[in-house]
Amino acid sequence: MSVREDVHIVGVGIHPFGRNEHVDGYTMAEQACRDALADAGLAWHDIGYAVGGSNEAGKPDTLVDRLGLTGVPFVNVRNGCATGGAALVTAAGALRAGEAGTALVVGFDKHERGAFSRPAASYGLGDWYATTGMMLTTQYFALKTRRYLHEHGIPEEALATVAARALRNGARNPMAWRRKELPEQEIMDGAPVNPPLTRYMFCSPAAGAVALVLATGERAHDLCERPVRLAALSLRTRRFGSFEVFSPWLAPEPDHSPSIDAAAAAFDRAGVRPSEVDVAQVQDTDSGSEIIHLAETGLCKAGEQETLLRGGATEVGGRLPVNTDGGCLANGEPIGASGLRQVHEVVRQLQSRALGAQVPGSPRVGFTHVYGAPGVSACTVLAV
Amino acid sequence: MDVAVVDPALFAGTAPPRLAGSRCPGCATVTFPRRGSCPRCPSGTMAAHTLPERGVVWSWTVQEFEPKPPYRRLGEAFVPYAVGYVDLGVVIVESRLDVPRERLRIGLPVRLTMIPAFLGEDGTEVHTFAFSADEDGEIW
Ligand SMILES: [Zn+2]
C-alpha cells in the first residue's frame, strides 16, 4: 500500500464511561466528536465523510443536527460488538477509495442496568431454552472459561489476576467507570455469579462514547505530529465449530473462534508478527475471555497465559501490556463505543499521551481485538 | 407423552427419556434440537436421530442468581441449579445437571434423566431433560 493511501488516526475524543444516568447517548457522542475534532485541529465542516455506530442509543447520523448541517455523507452501522470495527473499516474504505480526505468515526451506546436479555425466538431458539434457565450470557462465559482452564491447565486464580490488573489500570484512568483497586483474594471471594466467575470478573453494560478523526497520506502528517497508522483492520464472522453464546449443542471439539481468523488476517495484512506488539487491547467481557483471547489472537500460546499474568508481563510496565485503560472490566461495555475505546487507548499509548497509565519506552506497534455475539470479531493493528 | 414436558419436539421418548436430535446424511453432523438443514454442508435434509443417553460432563457451572423472566422457577423460592455441556460423543449437548455440587467435575459420567422445571397453568409439574451422575458409568 502506498503512503498516499495509508489511513491514519489524527485525533481522538472520549466521553467518560460509566452509568452516566443523566446524559443521553447523543450528548456523549457529540462531546466525543468535538473533542476528537479539537484534537485533530479540525472543524466539523472540514470532515468529508462520517460513520457512526450505536446498538441501542439511537441513529448516529442525526448527530449532524448538533454538529452542523454540512451535507456530509454519514453512514450508520450496527454490528453488535463489532460495531466500532465496522464503523472504522467503513470510514477507512471510503478514504482509500478517494471519497474524502478526512473522516470522522463515532461510536456510542447506553444500556439499561442488567441489559442484554433477549427473547429466545430472536436467536432462533424455542421458549424452553429460556424458561428452563439456560439462556444467560454469564453462563456461557463461565462454561467456556471452565473448559478452557481445564484443557490448558490454568488455575482459577488467574481469573482474579486478570480482574485485579484491569481494576488497577482503571483506577489510574480518569475516563474509566470502575476506579477502585481490589486485591485478588477479594475478587476470588466476590459474590459468585456463575462459578468459576465472580461478580468482579464480569464487565457490566454501561454508557460511553468515543470518536476518531482519520486522514490519509500527507494530510495526516500535516494535521498531526505523530499520526497513528491503521496498518490493518479485519472483521470476521464465525465458522462452523465455533463455541458461541446460546448454543443448545456444540460440535465435538469445538474450536474455531472468529477471533482466530480476524487476528490472523490483521497481522498478515499489516506484515507484523504478534510478538512485535508493544501494547494490546483484547476483549475482556469477563476475566476468562481475556485469557482465551490472548491465545486466540496469537499474542501468546494456549496455556502460557498464567506464566505471563503471574510474571507481570501483561502489566503496563511488562513485556506485553494488556488492557492498559482497564478494559471492559473497568470501563463497562457500551457496545457501540467499546471497540473504538480500545483504538482510542492504543492511539494514545503509541503517542505516549495515555490518560491513565502510560506504557514506557515509546511503544510503536499496537493491537486491538473485540469479540461478541453472535460470533463476530474485529481486530486492528496500529503503528507509529 | 406420559408427563408434561417443556417442548415435545425435544424428546424422542420420555419413559425412558430420549432426546430427539438430527443427523446429516452428508457430513454426519449431529444437532440438538432437530433441525431441517445442515449447518455445516449443503447436502440437504437432516434425518431424525435419537441421541445417546450416556456421556460425560464437558463443562459446568452453577446458576447462582435467579434469571429474569421468561425463566420460570419451580417452587416458592429460587434455588441455584447446575448447568453444563455433556459430551455424548457425536454431539455436545447443553443441559441442566441434576448432580450434587460437590460431585460436579469435568469428565463425570452422566446419564439422561427428567427433572421438574416449573409448574404449568393447571399446577402440574412441567418436566425438562437433565443429566445426573451415572453410577455405572465409571467403566466408560
Ligand atoms: Zn452436513
Side-chain angles (χ1 to χ4, degrees):
Chain A
M1 197 178 300
S2 76
V3 173
R4 211 176 67 80
E5 286 172 326
D6 272 349
V7 173
H8 290 80
I9 295 157
V10 297
V12 296
I14 187 167
H15 183 285
F17 279 38
R19 194 74 72 195
N20 296 350
E21 309 243 9
H22 305 295
V23 196
D24 66 26
Y26 291 123
T27 303
M28 290 186 277
E30 179 188 356
Q31 189 205 303
C33 290
R34 292 193 188 286
D35 289 354
L37 288 165
D39 193 39
L42 289 174
W44 172 242
H45 65 247
D46 297 321
I47 295 296
Y49 201 91
V51 185
S54 175
N55 236 44
E56 294 180 1
K59 272 167 53 59
D61 63 328
T62 59
L63 282 166
V64 297
D65 262 340
R66 292 163 177 251
L67 295 169
L69 301 171
T70 60
V72 67
F74 198 127
V75 177
N76 291 341
V77 300
R78 188 164 179 266
N79 267 65
C81 296
T83 293
L88 197 49
V89 82
T90 305
L95 291 182
R96 287 202 187 98
E99 298 276 338
T102 57
L104 181 137
V105 178
V106 58
F108 60 101
D109 247 314
K110 183 162 183 169
H111 306 289
E112 298 309 313
R113 195 180 289 262
F116 308 148
S117 105
R118 298 280 184 277
S122 69
Y123 275 80
L125 298 166
D127 289 343
W128 66 275
Y129 192 65
T131 56
T132 62
M134 294 202 281
M135 194 158 177
L136 288 101
T137 52
T138 55
Q139 275 179 16
Y140 160 71
F141 291 118
L143 291 166
K144 192 171 182 175
T145 293
R146 185 182 301 282
R147 182 69 196 183
Y148 191 88
L149 298 186
H150 172 81
E151 282 184 6
H152 299 287
I154 300 170
E156 290 181 19
E157 286 73 13
L159 300 169
T161 309
V162 167
R165 189 239 299 125
L167 294 173
R168 192 156 53 245
N169 289 344
R172 296 176 65 182
N173 174 10
M175 297 296 152
W177 177 14
R178 302 196 187 286
R179 306 203 51 212
K180 183 168 170 275
E181 289 189 44
L182 282 179
E184 290 187 23
Q185 193 58 49
E186 204 171 315
I187 290 166
M188 291 290 286
D189 294 343
V193 174
N194 290 112
L197 299 171
T198 68
R199 62 177 288 206
Y200 300 117
M201 298 174 188
F202 279 105
C203 85
S204 302
V210 178
L212 311 172
V213 175
L214 313 181
T216 41
E218 286 167 13
R219 186 82 199 277
H221 291 272
D222 292 342
L223 287 168
C224 183
E225 196 178 314
R226 202 170 166 78
V228 172
R229 186 167 59 90
L230 183 61
L233 196 164
S234 294
L235 197 68
R236 289 290 186 276
T237 55
R238 66 199 181 280
R239 291 205 245 170
F240 181 81
S242 179
F243 182 2
E244 302 297 341
V245 71
F246 306 150
S247 297
W249 65 280
L250 303 171
E253 297 174 41
D255 173 36
H256 210 105
S257 163
S259 298
I260 297 172
D261 290 340
F267 282 120
D268 185 52
R269 180 96 185 247
V272 164
R273 289 188 304 275
S275 60
E276 295 176 81
V277 170
D278 297 317
V279 55
Q281 290 270 338
V282 302
Q283 178 83 29
D284 57 338
T285 318
D286 66 289
S287 290
S289 292
E290 183 189 294
I291 290 174
I292 294 168
H293 294 147
L294 281 172
E296 286 186 344
T297 55
L299 291 171
C300 74
K301 292 191 180 68
E304 196 189 352
Q305 294 95 327
E306 200 222 350
T307 314
L308 289 178
L309 291 163
R310 275 289 153 239
T314 66
E315 302 289 334
V316 169
R319 176 171 69 74
L320 176 64
V322 173
N323 294 337
T324 44
D325 63 350
C328 292
L329 288 172
N331 287 279
E333 194 185 10
I335 290 179
S338 203
L340 296 183
R341 173 186 54 75
Q342 297 184 330
V343 175
H344 168 274
E345 170 65 9
V346 169
V347 165
R348 283 186 168 275
Q349 291 288 349
L350 297 181
Q351 295 172 331
S352 289
R353 55 174 190 135
L355 298 174
Q358 173 65 48
V359 172
S362 302
R364 300 189 60 83
V365 177
F367 175 79
T368 72
H369 158 265
V370 292
Y371 163 80
V376 292
S377 178
C379 295
T380 69
V381 176
L382 300 158
V384 288
Chain B
M1 295 278 174
D2 48 349
V3 294
V5 294
V6 290
D7 188 341
L10 301 175
F11 299 93
T14 54
R18 292 289 182 269
L19 295 178
S22 57
R23 184 176 182 278
C24 173
C27 71
T29 291
V30 174
T31 75
F32 175 77
R34 243 191 116 160
R35 47 183 284 164
S37 61
C38 181
R40 183 176 208 169
C41 78
S43 97
T45 316
M46 303 286 280
H49 187 81
T50 302
L51 301 187
E53 65 271 25
R54 285 175 147 175
V56 295
V57 172
W58 186 82
S59 189
W60 62 272
T61 186
V62 175
Q63 184 56 39
E64 299 276 8
F65 64 93
E66 181 168 12
K68 288 192 272 191
Y71 167 73
R72 296 170 70 176
R73 66 168 183 257
L74 181 62
E76 287 294 304
F78 171 72
V79 180
Y81 54 89
V83 177
Y85 279 95
V86 174
D87 189 346
L88 299 175
V90 290
V91 65
I92 298 171
V93 165
E94 190 175 16
S95 175
R96 295 278 294 267
L97 297 175
D98 188 23
V99 176
R101 183 157 184 166
E102 63 279 8
R103 292 193 64 187
L104 285 165
R105 65 174 172 86
I106 289 175
L108 178 73
V110 287
R111 183 170 199 159
L112 186 63
T113 184
M114 299 289 277
I115 56 167
F118 50 82
L119 298 182
E121 304 292 322
D122 58 357
T124 58
E125 286 182 343
V126 178
H127 290 72
T128 191
F129 64 95
F131 284 83
S132 61
D134 184 359
E135 305 307 337
D136 307 324
E138 296 294 347
I139 52 168
W140 237 59

